PDB file of all heavy atoms in Angstrom:
ATOM      1  N   ARG A 247       8.177 -24.434 114.792  1.00  0.00           N
ATOM      2  CA  ARG A 247       7.666 -25.225 113.673  1.00  0.00           C
ATOM      3  C   ARG A 247       8.244 -24.754 112.345  1.00  0.00           C
ATOM      4  O   ARG A 247       8.180 -25.466 111.350  1.00  0.00           O
ATOM      5  CB  ARG A 247       6.140 -25.119 113.611  1.00  0.00           C
ATOM      6  CG  ARG A 247       5.429 -25.743 114.809  1.00  0.00           C
ATOM      7  CD  ARG A 247       3.965 -25.363 114.804  1.00  0.00           C
ATOM      8  NE  ARG A 247       3.795 -23.904 114.928  1.00  0.00           N
ATOM      9  CZ  ARG A 247       2.636 -23.283 114.760  1.00  0.00           C
ATOM     10  NH1 ARG A 247       1.559 -23.970 114.418  1.00  0.00           N
ATOM     11  NH2 ARG A 247       2.559 -21.974 114.907  1.00  0.00           N
ATOM     12  N   CYS A 248       8.794 -23.554 112.319  1.00  0.00           N
ATOM     13  CA  CYS A 248       9.332 -23.001 111.076  1.00  0.00           C
ATOM     14  C   CYS A 248      10.758 -23.509 110.867  1.00  0.00           C
ATOM     15  O   CYS A 248      11.725 -22.754 110.958  1.00  0.00           O
ATOM     16  CB  CYS A 248       9.303 -21.480 111.115  1.00  0.00           C
ATOM     17  SG  CYS A 248       7.658 -20.789 111.386  1.00  0.00           S
ATOM     18  N   SER A 249      10.884 -24.802 110.629  1.00  0.00           N
ATOM     19  CA  SER A 249      12.205 -25.411 110.553  1.00  0.00           C
ATOM     20  C   SER A 249      12.795 -25.377 109.156  1.00  0.00           C
ATOM     21  O   SER A 249      14.010 -25.378 108.989  1.00  0.00           O
ATOM     22  CB  SER A 249      12.128 -26.872 111.028  1.00  0.00           C
ATOM     23  OG  SER A 249      11.160 -27.586 110.267  1.00  0.00           O
ATOM     24  N   ARG A 250      11.959 -25.320 108.130  1.00  0.00           N
ATOM     25  CA  ARG A 250      12.471 -25.361 106.766  1.00  0.00           C
ATOM     26  C   ARG A 250      12.284 -24.010 106.086  1.00  0.00           C
ATOM     27  O   ARG A 250      11.293 -23.751 105.417  1.00  0.00           O
ATOM     28  CB  ARG A 250      11.764 -26.453 105.961  1.00  0.00           C
ATOM     29  CG  ARG A 250      12.456 -26.674 104.615  1.00  0.00           C
ATOM     30  CD  ARG A 250      11.785 -27.723 103.777  1.00  0.00           C
ATOM     31  NE  ARG A 250      12.437 -27.797 102.470  1.00  0.00           N
ATOM     32  CZ  ARG A 250      11.838 -28.158 101.362  1.00  0.00           C
ATOM     33  NH1 ARG A 250      10.566 -28.472 101.375  1.00  0.00           N
ATOM     34  NH2 ARG A 250      12.489 -28.210 100.229  1.00  0.00           N
ATOM     35  N   VAL A 251      13.273 -23.135 106.290  1.00  0.00           N
ATOM     36  CA  VAL A 251      13.252 -21.820 105.639  1.00  0.00           C
ATOM     37  C   VAL A 251      13.670 -22.003 104.186  1.00  0.00           C
ATOM     38  O   VAL A 251      14.623 -22.725 103.887  1.00  0.00           O
ATOM     39  CB  VAL A 251      14.193 -20.841 106.355  1.00  0.00           C
ATOM     40  CG1 VAL A 251      14.262 -19.523 105.613  1.00  0.00           C
ATOM     41  CG2 VAL A 251      13.722 -20.623 107.790  1.00  0.00           C
ATOM     42  N   ILE A 252      12.967 -21.351 103.292  1.00  0.00           N
ATOM     43  CA  ILE A 252      13.200 -21.554 101.863  1.00  0.00           C
ATOM     44  C   ILE A 252      13.673 -20.260 101.195  1.00  0.00           C
ATOM     45  O   ILE A 252      13.645 -19.187 101.797  1.00  0.00           O
ATOM     46  CB  ILE A 252      11.917 -22.042 101.156  1.00  0.00           C
ATOM     47  CG1 ILE A 252      10.812 -20.979 101.264  1.00  0.00           C
ATOM     48  CG2 ILE A 252      11.465 -23.372 101.724  1.00  0.00           C
ATOM     49  CD1 ILE A 252       9.597 -21.267 100.397  1.00  0.00           C
ATOM     50  N   ASP A 253      14.116 -20.399  99.944  1.00  0.00           N
ATOM     51  CA  ASP A 253      14.415 -19.238  99.117  1.00  0.00           C
ATOM     52  C   ASP A 253      13.103 -18.737  98.533  1.00  0.00           C
ATOM     53  O   ASP A 253      12.685 -19.161  97.451  1.00  0.00           O
ATOM     54  CB  ASP A 253      15.390 -19.605  97.995  1.00  0.00           C
ATOM     55  CG  ASP A 253      16.777 -19.940  98.509  1.00  0.00           C
ATOM     56  OD1 ASP A 253      17.253 -19.207  99.387  1.00  0.00           O
ATOM     57  OD2 ASP A 253      17.363 -20.930  98.048  1.00  0.00           O
ATOM     58  N   ALA A 254      12.454 -17.843  99.270  1.00  0.00           N
ATOM     59  CA  ALA A 254      11.143 -17.342  98.848  1.00  0.00           C
ATOM     60  C   ALA A 254      11.330 -16.238  97.810  1.00  0.00           C
ATOM     61  O   ALA A 254      12.191 -15.375  97.951  1.00  0.00           O
ATOM     62  CB  ALA A 254      10.380 -16.799 100.055  1.00  0.00           C
ATOM     63  N   HIS A 255      10.515 -16.275  96.768  1.00  0.00           N
ATOM     64  CA  HIS A 255      10.570 -15.246  95.740  1.00  0.00           C
ATOM     65  C   HIS A 255       9.778 -14.017  96.181  1.00  0.00           C
ATOM     66  O   HIS A 255       8.597 -14.122  96.522  1.00  0.00           O
ATOM     67  CB  HIS A 255      10.002 -15.771  94.426  1.00  0.00           C
ATOM     68  CG  HIS A 255      10.990 -16.554  93.613  1.00  0.00           C
ATOM     69  ND1 HIS A 255      11.225 -17.883  93.833  1.00  0.00           N
ATOM     70  CD2 HIS A 255      11.815 -16.174  92.602  1.00  0.00           C
ATOM     71  CE1 HIS A 255      12.143 -18.318  92.974  1.00  0.00           C
ATOM     72  NE2 HIS A 255      12.525 -17.299  92.223  1.00  0.00           N
ATOM     73  N   SER A 256      10.427 -12.858  96.175  1.00  0.00           N
ATOM     74  CA  SER A 256       9.697 -11.624  96.459  1.00  0.00           C
ATOM     75  C   SER A 256       8.998 -11.103  95.207  1.00  0.00           C
ATOM     76  O   SER A 256       8.075 -10.293  95.292  1.00  0.00           O
ATOM     77  CB  SER A 256      10.646 -10.554  97.009  1.00  0.00           C
ATOM     78  OG  SER A 256      11.749 -10.364  96.149  1.00  0.00           O
ATOM     79  N   ILE A 257       9.470 -11.549  94.043  1.00  0.00           N
ATOM     80  CA  ILE A 257       8.750 -11.377  92.781  1.00  0.00           C
ATOM     81  C   ILE A 257       8.374 -12.781  92.336  1.00  0.00           C
ATOM     82  O   ILE A 257       9.237 -13.663  92.246  1.00  0.00           O
ATOM     83  CB  ILE A 257       9.630 -10.714  91.709  1.00  0.00           C
ATOM     84  CG1 ILE A 257      10.147  -9.359  92.186  1.00  0.00           C
ATOM     85  CG2 ILE A 257       8.850 -10.542  90.401  1.00  0.00           C
ATOM     86  CD1 ILE A 257      11.159  -8.720  91.245  1.00  0.00           C
ATOM     87  N   GLN A 258       7.098 -13.013  92.097  1.00  0.00           N
ATOM     88  CA  GLN A 258       6.643 -14.362  91.791  1.00  0.00           C
ATOM     89  C   GLN A 258       7.445 -14.985  90.653  1.00  0.00           C
ATOM     90  O   GLN A 258       7.692 -14.349  89.629  1.00  0.00           O
ATOM     91  CB  GLN A 258       5.168 -14.337  91.389  1.00  0.00           C
ATOM     92  CG  GLN A 258       4.233 -13.819  92.455  1.00  0.00           C
ATOM     93  CD  GLN A 258       2.860 -13.480  91.891  1.00  0.00           C
ATOM     94  OE1 GLN A 258       2.639 -13.537  90.694  1.00  0.00           O
ATOM     95  NE2 GLN A 258       1.941 -13.138  92.763  1.00  0.00           N
ATOM     96  N   LYS A 259       7.844 -16.227  90.852  1.00  0.00           N
ATOM     97  CA  LYS A 259       8.557 -16.945  89.797  1.00  0.00           C
ATOM     98  C   LYS A 259       7.593 -17.334  88.682  1.00  0.00           C
ATOM     99  O   LYS A 259       7.834 -17.032  87.507  1.00  0.00           O
ATOM    100  CB  LYS A 259       9.238 -18.185  90.375  1.00  0.00           C
ATOM    101  CG  LYS A 259       9.962 -19.020  89.330  1.00  0.00           C
ATOM    102  CD  LYS A 259      10.581 -20.262  89.961  1.00  0.00           C
ATOM    103  CE  LYS A 259      11.214 -21.156  88.912  1.00  0.00           C
ATOM    104  NZ  LYS A 259      11.774 -22.395  89.500  1.00  0.00           N
ATOM    105  N   ASN A 260       6.521 -18.005  89.050  1.00  0.00           N
ATOM    106  CA  ASN A 260       5.515 -18.407  88.072  1.00  0.00           C
ATOM    107  C   ASN A 260       4.498 -17.277  87.913  1.00  0.00           C
ATOM    108  O   ASN A 260       3.967 -16.773  88.883  1.00  0.00           O
ATOM    109  CB  ASN A 260       4.813 -19.687  88.514  1.00  0.00           C
ATOM    110  CG  ASN A 260       5.766 -20.859  88.624  1.00  0.00           C
ATOM    111  OD1 ASN A 260       6.643 -21.020  87.786  1.00  0.00           O
ATOM    112  ND2 ASN A 260       5.602 -21.669  89.668  1.00  0.00           N
ATOM    113  N   GLY A 261       4.245 -16.889  86.714  1.00  0.00           N
ATOM    114  CA  GLY A 261       3.252 -15.854  86.476  1.00  0.00           C
ATOM    115  C   GLY A 261       3.808 -14.458  86.436  1.00  0.00           C
ATOM    116  O   GLY A 261       3.125 -13.525  86.029  1.00  0.00           O
ATOM    117  N   THR A 262       5.070 -14.265  86.868  1.00  0.00           N
ATOM    118  CA  THR A 262       5.681 -12.937  86.799  1.00  0.00           C
ATOM    119  C   THR A 262       7.065 -13.027  86.159  1.00  0.00           C
ATOM    120  O   THR A 262       7.257 -12.604  85.022  1.00  0.00           O
ATOM    121  CB  THR A 262       5.765 -12.291  88.191  1.00  0.00           C
ATOM    122  OG1 THR A 262       4.430 -12.121  88.710  1.00  0.00           O
ATOM    123  CG2 THR A 262       6.412 -10.930  88.120  1.00  0.00           C
ATOM    124  N   LEU A 263       8.058 -13.611  86.861  1.00  0.00           N
ATOM    125  CA  LEU A 263       9.373 -13.761  86.264  1.00  0.00           C
ATOM    126  C   LEU A 263       9.312 -14.591  84.988  1.00  0.00           C
ATOM    127  O   LEU A 263       9.992 -14.294  83.998  1.00  0.00           O
ATOM    128  CB  LEU A 263      10.340 -14.394  87.262  1.00  0.00           C
ATOM    129  CG  LEU A 263      10.815 -13.485  88.409  1.00  0.00           C
ATOM    130  CD1 LEU A 263      11.561 -14.298  89.463  1.00  0.00           C
ATOM    131  CD2 LEU A 263      11.697 -12.363  87.883  1.00  0.00           C
ATOM    132  N   SER A 264       8.468 -15.625  85.012  1.00  0.00           N
ATOM    133  CA  SER A 264       8.349 -16.485  83.823  1.00  0.00           C
ATOM    134  C   SER A 264       7.746 -15.745  82.638  1.00  0.00           C
ATOM    135  O   SER A 264       7.962 -16.124  81.484  1.00  0.00           O
ATOM    136  CB  SER A 264       7.513 -17.721  84.155  1.00  0.00           C
ATOM    137  OG  SER A 264       6.214 -17.347  84.590  1.00  0.00           O
ATOM    138  N   LEU A 265       7.011 -14.652  82.916  1.00  0.00           N
ATOM    139  CA  LEU A 265       6.403 -13.876  81.835  1.00  0.00           C
ATOM    140  C   LEU A 265       7.452 -13.182  80.976  1.00  0.00           C
ATOM    141  O   LEU A 265       7.238 -12.957  79.785  1.00  0.00           O
ATOM    142  CB  LEU A 265       5.460 -12.813  82.405  1.00  0.00           C
ATOM    143  CG  LEU A 265       4.085 -13.253  82.897  1.00  0.00           C
ATOM    144  CD1 LEU A 265       3.366 -12.070  83.519  1.00  0.00           C
ATOM    145  CD2 LEU A 265       3.265 -13.837  81.755  1.00  0.00           C
ATOM    146  N   ILE A 266       8.574 -12.821  81.577  1.00  0.00           N
ATOM    147  CA  ILE A 266       9.583 -12.047  80.852  1.00  0.00           C
ATOM    148  C   ILE A 266      10.842 -12.851  80.558  1.00  0.00           C
ATOM    149  O   ILE A 266      11.742 -12.361  79.869  1.00  0.00           O
ATOM    150  CB  ILE A 266       9.966 -10.772  81.634  1.00  0.00           C
ATOM    151  CG1 ILE A 266      10.663 -11.131  82.947  1.00  0.00           C
ATOM    152  CG2 ILE A 266       8.743  -9.900  81.891  1.00  0.00           C
ATOM    153  CD1 ILE A 266      11.336  -9.956  83.620  1.00  0.00           C
ATOM    154  N   ALA A 267      10.943 -14.076  81.083  1.00  0.00           N
ATOM    155  CA  ALA A 267      12.171 -14.856  80.951  1.00  0.00           C
ATOM    156  C   ALA A 267      12.387 -15.342  79.525  1.00  0.00           C
ATOM    157  O   ALA A 267      11.436 -15.601  78.780  1.00  0.00           O
ATOM    158  CB  ALA A 267      12.145 -16.035  81.915  1.00  0.00           C
ATOM    159  N   ASN A 268      13.647 -15.479  79.161  1.00  0.00           N
ATOM    160  CA  ASN A 268      14.049 -16.088  77.899  1.00  0.00           C
ATOM    161  C   ASN A 268      14.940 -17.277  78.240  1.00  0.00           C
ATOM    162  O   ASN A 268      16.037 -17.101  78.767  1.00  0.00           O
ATOM    163  CB  ASN A 268      14.801 -15.078  77.031  1.00  0.00           C
ATOM    164  CG  ASN A 268      15.221 -15.658  75.700  1.00  0.00           C
ATOM    165  OD1 ASN A 268      14.630 -16.615  75.207  1.00  0.00           O
ATOM    166  ND2 ASN A 268      16.263 -15.090  75.102  1.00  0.00           N
ATOM    167  N   ASN A 269      14.443 -18.485  77.960  1.00  0.00           N
ATOM    168  CA  ASN A 269      15.163 -19.709  78.339  1.00  0.00           C
ATOM    169  C   ASN A 269      15.500 -19.720  79.826  1.00  0.00           C
ATOM    170  O   ASN A 269      16.588 -20.128  80.242  1.00  0.00           O
ATOM    171  CB  ASN A 269      16.451 -19.851  77.516  1.00  0.00           C
ATOM    172  CG  ASN A 269      16.181 -20.062  76.043  1.00  0.00           C
ATOM    173  OD1 ASN A 269      15.217 -20.745  75.669  1.00  0.00           O
ATOM    174  ND2 ASN A 269      17.014 -19.490  75.190  1.00  0.00           N
ATOM    175  N   GLY A 270      14.521 -19.244  80.633  1.00  0.00           N
ATOM    176  CA  GLY A 270      14.690 -19.272  82.086  1.00  0.00           C
ATOM    177  C   GLY A 270      15.602 -18.209  82.646  1.00  0.00           C
ATOM    178  O   GLY A 270      16.002 -18.298  83.812  1.00  0.00           O
ATOM    179  N   HIS A 271      15.933 -17.171  81.856  1.00  0.00           N
ATOM    180  CA  HIS A 271      16.857 -16.139  82.320  1.00  0.00           C
ATOM    181  C   HIS A 271      16.273 -14.740  82.122  1.00  0.00           C
ATOM    182  O   HIS A 271      15.492 -14.508  81.191  1.00  0.00           O
ATOM    183  CB  HIS A 271      18.198 -16.234  81.592  1.00  0.00           C
ATOM    184  CG  HIS A 271      19.030 -17.404  82.009  1.00  0.00           C
ATOM    185  ND1 HIS A 271      18.766 -18.698  81.582  1.00  0.00           N
ATOM    186  CD2 HIS A 271      20.129 -17.488  82.821  1.00  0.00           C
ATOM    187  CE1 HIS A 271      19.663 -19.516  82.109  1.00  0.00           C
ATOM    188  NE2 HIS A 271      20.490 -18.810  82.867  1.00  0.00           N
ATOM    189  N   VAL A 272      16.678 -13.841  83.008  1.00  0.00           N
ATOM    190  CA  VAL A 272      16.308 -12.421  82.933  1.00  0.00           C
ATOM    191  C   VAL A 272      17.549 -11.603  83.252  1.00  0.00           C
ATOM    192  O   VAL A 272      18.564 -12.137  83.701  1.00  0.00           O
ATOM    193  CB  VAL A 272      15.194 -12.078  83.934  1.00  0.00           C
ATOM    194  CG1 VAL A 272      13.907 -12.822  83.621  1.00  0.00           C
ATOM    195  CG2 VAL A 272      15.646 -12.387  85.386  1.00  0.00           C
ATOM    196  N   TYR A 273      17.466 -10.308  83.024  1.00  0.00           N
ATOM    197  CA  TYR A 273      18.527  -9.404  83.470  1.00  0.00           C
ATOM    198  C   TYR A 273      18.158  -8.843  84.839  1.00  0.00           C
ATOM    199  O   TYR A 273      17.015  -8.396  85.049  1.00  0.00           O
ATOM    200  CB  TYR A 273      18.730  -8.268  82.476  1.00  0.00           C
ATOM    201  CG  TYR A 273      19.628  -8.634  81.321  1.00  0.00           C
ATOM    202  CD1 TYR A 273      19.095  -9.162  80.148  1.00  0.00           C
ATOM    203  CD2 TYR A 273      21.009  -8.478  81.411  1.00  0.00           C
ATOM    204  CE1 TYR A 273      19.915  -9.512  79.080  1.00  0.00           C
ATOM    205  CE2 TYR A 273      21.843  -8.816  80.348  1.00  0.00           C
ATOM    206  CZ  TYR A 273      21.293  -9.337  79.192  1.00  0.00           C
ATOM    207  OH  TYR A 273      22.112  -9.681  78.152  1.00  0.00           O
ATOM    208  N   ALA A 274      19.114  -8.878  85.771  1.00  0.00           N
ATOM    209  CA  ALA A 274      18.880  -8.360  87.119  1.00  0.00           C
ATOM    210  C   ALA A 274      20.186  -7.785  87.671  1.00  0.00           C
ATOM    211  O   ALA A 274      21.269  -8.027  87.121  1.00  0.00           O
ATOM    212  CB  ALA A 274      18.352  -9.463  88.033  1.00  0.00           C
ATOM    213  N   ASN A 275      20.073  -7.044  88.751  1.00  0.00           N
ATOM    214  CA  ASN A 275      21.225  -6.412  89.386  1.00  0.00           C
ATOM    215  C   ASN A 275      22.207  -7.471  89.885  1.00  0.00           C
ATOM    216  O   ASN A 275      21.824  -8.399  90.589  1.00  0.00           O
ATOM    217  CB  ASN A 275      20.751  -5.539  90.548  1.00  0.00           C
ATOM    218  CG  ASN A 275      21.870  -4.711  91.154  1.00  0.00           C
ATOM    219  OD1 ASN A 275      22.944  -4.597  90.587  1.00  0.00           O
ATOM    220  ND2 ASN A 275      21.615  -4.143  92.318  1.00  0.00           N
ATOM    221  N   SER A 276      23.467  -7.322  89.533  1.00  0.00           N
ATOM    222  CA  SER A 276      24.474  -8.314  89.903  1.00  0.00           C
ATOM    223  C   SER A 276      25.028  -8.051  91.302  1.00  0.00           C
ATOM    224  O   SER A 276      25.246  -6.901  91.693  1.00  0.00           O
ATOM    225  CB  SER A 276      25.627  -8.290  88.891  1.00  0.00           C
ATOM    226  OG  SER A 276      26.674  -9.151  89.296  1.00  0.00           O
ATOM    227  N   SER A 277      25.272  -9.140  92.035  1.00  0.00           N
ATOM    228  CA  SER A 277      25.952  -9.040  93.333  1.00  0.00           C
ATOM    229  C   SER A 277      27.332  -9.676  93.254  1.00  0.00           C
ATOM    230  O   SER A 277      27.965  -9.939  94.273  1.00  0.00           O
ATOM    231  CB  SER A 277      25.124  -9.732  94.423  1.00  0.00           C
ATOM    232  OG  SER A 277      24.907 -11.109  94.099  1.00  0.00           O
ATOM    233  N   ASN A 278      27.815  -9.914  92.024  1.00  0.00           N
ATOM    234  CA  ASN A 278      29.127 -10.502  91.809  1.00  0.00           C
ATOM    235  C   ASN A 278      30.237  -9.523  92.198  1.00  0.00           C
ATOM    236  O   ASN A 278      30.167  -8.328  91.902  1.00  0.00           O
ATOM    237  CB  ASN A 278      29.262 -10.900  90.334  1.00  0.00           C
ATOM    238  CG  ASN A 278      30.640 -11.457  89.996  1.00  0.00           C
ATOM    239  OD1 ASN A 278      31.531 -10.707  89.635  1.00  0.00           O
ATOM    240  ND2 ASN A 278      30.795 -12.752  90.119  1.00  0.00           N
ATOM    241  N   PHE A 279      31.277 -10.037  92.847  1.00  0.00           N
ATOM    242  CA  PHE A 279      32.374  -9.196  93.332  1.00  0.00           C
ATOM    243  C   PHE A 279      32.996  -8.377  92.214  1.00  0.00           C
ATOM    244  O   PHE A 279      33.203  -7.165  92.338  1.00  0.00           O
ATOM    245  CB  PHE A 279      33.442 -10.064  94.007  1.00  0.00           C
ATOM    246  CG  PHE A 279      34.696  -9.333  94.370  1.00  0.00           C
ATOM    247  CD1 PHE A 279      34.750  -8.544  95.504  1.00  0.00           C
ATOM    248  CD2 PHE A 279      35.831  -9.412  93.564  1.00  0.00           C
ATOM    249  CE1 PHE A 279      35.906  -7.854  95.840  1.00  0.00           C
ATOM    250  CE2 PHE A 279      36.987  -8.727  93.894  1.00  0.00           C
ATOM    251  CZ  PHE A 279      37.022  -7.961  95.034  1.00  0.00           C
ATOM    252  N   GLY A 280      33.309  -9.035  91.101  1.00  0.00           N
ATOM    253  CA  GLY A 280      33.945  -8.341  89.995  1.00  0.00           C
ATOM    254  C   GLY A 280      33.078  -7.247  89.410  1.00  0.00           C
ATOM    255  O   GLY A 280      33.566  -6.150  89.084  1.00  0.00           O
ATOM    256  N   ASP A 281      31.780  -7.511  89.284  1.00  0.00           N
ATOM    257  CA  ASP A 281      30.860  -6.511  88.731  1.00  0.00           C
ATOM    258  C   ASP A 281      30.765  -5.286  89.639  1.00  0.00           C
ATOM    259  O   ASP A 281      30.754  -4.145  89.175  1.00  0.00           O
ATOM    260  CB  ASP A 281      29.471  -7.117  88.528  1.00  0.00           C
ATOM    261  CG  ASP A 281      29.451  -8.178  87.439  1.00  0.00           C
ATOM    262  OD1 ASP A 281      30.277  -8.083  86.513  1.00  0.00           O
ATOM    263  OD2 ASP A 281      28.618  -9.104  87.524  1.00  0.00           O
ATOM    264  N   ILE A 282      30.680  -5.527  90.949  1.00  0.00           N
ATOM    265  CA  ILE A 282      30.576  -4.425  91.905  1.00  0.00           C
ATOM    266  C   ILE A 282      31.845  -3.585  91.912  1.00  0.00           C
ATOM    267  O   ILE A 282      31.797  -2.352  91.954  1.00  0.00           O
ATOM    268  CB  ILE A 282      30.267  -4.967  93.317  1.00  0.00           C
ATOM    269  CG1 ILE A 282      28.862  -5.584  93.351  1.00  0.00           C
ATOM    270  CG2 ILE A 282      30.391  -3.868  94.367  1.00  0.00           C
ATOM    271  CD1 ILE A 282      28.527  -6.262  94.650  1.00  0.00           C
TER     272      ILE A 282
END
């Protein structure tokens, strides 16, 4: 029955990430090839 796997937030989007966001953005660890 678990057919629709989603991008689940391990840190709440509403009520947590939104508390610190500026125009919907925060600073977080990059997984970009160039940055690494």
